[in-house]
Amino acid sequence: MAVGGDEAGAAAVAADEAAFRAYLRDHNLPATAQRLAIAAVVLGTDRHLSAEEVAAELRARGQQAGTATVYRTLEVLRRSGLVVERDFGEGFKRFEAARGVPHHEHLLCTACGRVTEFRDERLERMTTLLADAHGFVRQRHRLVIHGLCRDCRAGAGAPAPRRPSLS
Amino acid sequence: MAVGGDEAGAAAVAADEAAFRAYLRDHNLPATAQRLAIAAVVLGTDRHLSAEEVAAELRARGQQAGTATVYRTLEVLRRSGLVVERDFGEGFKRFEAARGVPHHEHLLCTACGRVTEFRDERLERMTTLLADAHGFVRQRHRLVIHGLCRDCRAGAGAPAPRRPSLS
DNA sequence: ATAAATGCAAAGGGTTTGCAAAGGC
DNA sequence: GCCTTTGCAAACCCTTTGCATTTAT
């Protein structure tokens, strides 16, 4: 199962990888082969990968890194702002290339696990109003809609596998 | 730190506890002292308690129960429909008395951890439309707004403790 | 009396950490 | 060469499970 390739704009990926190198340099952090490999995996896909999936993809590329290194590097990527950590209540975390997107919501297919993103201004405004109505000053919010994606809705009889193709 | 008391309508709590006894009877499950004590704690508060907090409150009431029993009973309560399980991405789960509320959103104070609930019909409809716009059939959704509650907004200089009073 | 729940402790999954060895800069 | 990272394994947290004992009915 190869991750990456032309899923995400090749140019954008290259730019993100360069930004990560710059971040490492600016913070006097060694640019090790493992760090760059892990960054390439996470920044090179549109998917929301778990730590375990990142490690598996590294292995698939013949670039293996220890579990601890994977977690530590994901934390560095998170601090750099290039990667965002997500928790969909699955019992583990997922990591997503930030791509400079300010904020977006998630649609999660309950059959195949596919994650789709979207952005909606009205929702943005509405959450501010809702918070205000209850005496809160809104800082951020998080919406996840669970449902059936187009594909799974069609083949309702035989639900798609939990690990979908990369579309 | 005493949980319960008059936070939730005393009558409603009594009704829920009776409903739990009925559930146990109907399913041929023994109504043990531990089960009733745990039910009393969770059903008797409006707060969203973690398993550990439930155990602590039991101890505070001199009614102690083993960790495994707490988890097992929380699962029984969940299956009975009287309690709902929540995951706020804190690394553990919280349990909330269902109170027959169909669905609601959460406001989470980032300073003191207080959880406030609210319901909004427009949001309900909007999520259906949003899902539809992306080819999904909406099943359910989950919105958490993070922000500062009224109290923490006021005393901004000295953030309130992570474990707030039961107000 | 019987079948189930309890409690303890051990196992479990995901994640973090301590420390000797390896490797950037 | 100095300082950081790596990798392994142990530790960690929350939760679940196995099993002998206790308990509700």
Side-chain angles (χ1 to χ4, degrees):
Chain A
M1 68 117 172
V3 170
D6 55 353
E7 293 170 32
V13 172
D16 275 358
E17 294 193 34
F20 185 51
R21 279 204 192 77
Y23 176 87
L24 293 175
R25 205 180 317 114
D26 297 351
H27 293 255
N28 292 311
L29 301 172
T32 65
Q34 291 91 331
R35 279 180 174 159
L36 298 178
I38 292 166
V41 168
V42 181
L43 297 176
T45 182
D46 285 334
R47 287 186 34 205
H48 301 61
L49 303 172
S50 65
E52 158 51 24
E53 287 171 332
V54 171
E57 176 59 22
L58 283 176
R59 263 176 261 120
R61 296 184 184 187
Q63 292 178 307
Q64 181 163 27
T67 312
T69 300
V70 172
Y71 280 102
R72 285 188 282 231
T73 300
L74 286 170
E75 172 60 14
V76 175
L77 280 162
R78 196 193 59 68
R79 278 206 292 263
S80 79
L82 290 164
V83 162
V84 178
E85 195 181 272
R86 303 278 182 198
D87 188 337
F88 291 104
E90 302 166 291
F92 55 86
K93 296 187 181 110
R94 291 185 175 278
F95 299 83
E96 171 197 356
R99 305 234 178 288
V101 180
H103 176 76
H104 54 258
E105 320 301 341
H106 289 106
L107 273 158
L108 188 58
C109 180
T110 53
C112 71
R114 169 181 298 168
V115 178
T116 302
E117 302 167 356
F118 69 92
R119 180 164 169 68
D120 189 90
E121 287 300 342
R122 285 169 304 166
L123 189 62
E124 217 75 20
R125 278 178 259 123
M126 183 181 274
T127 54
T128 303
L129 294 174
L130 287 168
D132 202 54
H134 295 272
F136 275 65
V137 177
R138 194 201 92 119
Q139 292 176 327
R140 59 205 140 80
H141 75 269
R142 170 159 175 57
L143 172 68
V144 181
I145 302 177
H146 300 256
L148 289 176
C149 73
R150 212 183 307 266
D151 296 350
C152 293
R153 179 172 41 164
R162 207 48 181 83
R163 184 99 302 284
S165 76
L166 302 181
S167 76
Chain B
M1 69 115 168
V3 169
D6 55 353
E7 293 169 31
V13 173
D16 275 358
E17 293 193 35
F20 186 51
R21 278 206 193 76
Y23 176 87
L24 293 176
R25 204 180 320 113
D26 297 350
H27 293 256
N28 292 311
L29 301 173
T32 64
Q34 291 90 330
R35 278 180 174 160
L36 298 179
I38 291 166
V41 168
V42 181
L43 297 176
T45 182
D46 285 332
R47 288 186 34 205
H48 301 61
L49 303 172
S50 65
E52 157 51 26
E53 287 171 331
V54 171
E57 177 59 22
L58 283 176
R59 264 176 261 121
R61 297 184 184 188
Q63 294 178 307
Q64 182 163 29
T67 312
T69 300
V70 171
Y71 280 103
R72 285 188 282 230
T73 300
L74 286 171
E75 172 60 15
V76 175
L77 281 161
R78 196 193 59 68
R79 278 206 292 263
S80 79
L82 292 164
V83 163
V84 178
E85 195 180 270
R86 303 279 182 196
D87 188 337
F88 292 103
E90 301 166 292
F92 55 85
K93 296 190 182 109
R94 292 185 175 276
F95 299 84
E96 171 197 357
R99 305 235 178 287
V101 180
H103 175 76
H104 54 258
E105 320 302 341
H106 289 106
L107 274 157
L108 188 57
C109 180
T110 52
C112 70
R114 169 181 299 166
V115 179
T116 302
E117 302 167 354
F118 68 92
R119 181 164 169 67
D120 190 272
E121 287 298 344
R122 286 168 305 166
L123 189 61
E124 218 74 20
R125 276 178 260 122
M126 184 182 276
T127 54
T128 303
L129 295 175
L130 287 169
D132 202 55
H134 295 273
F136 275 66
V137 177
R138 194 201 92 118
Q139 292 175 328
R140 61 204 138 82
H141 75 270
R142 171 158 176 55
L143 172 68
V144 181
I145 303 177
H146 300 256
L148 288 177
C149 72
R150 212 184 306 268
D151 296 350
C152 294
R153 179 170 44 163
R162 204 55 181 76
R163 184 98 303 286
S165 76
L166 302 180
S167 74

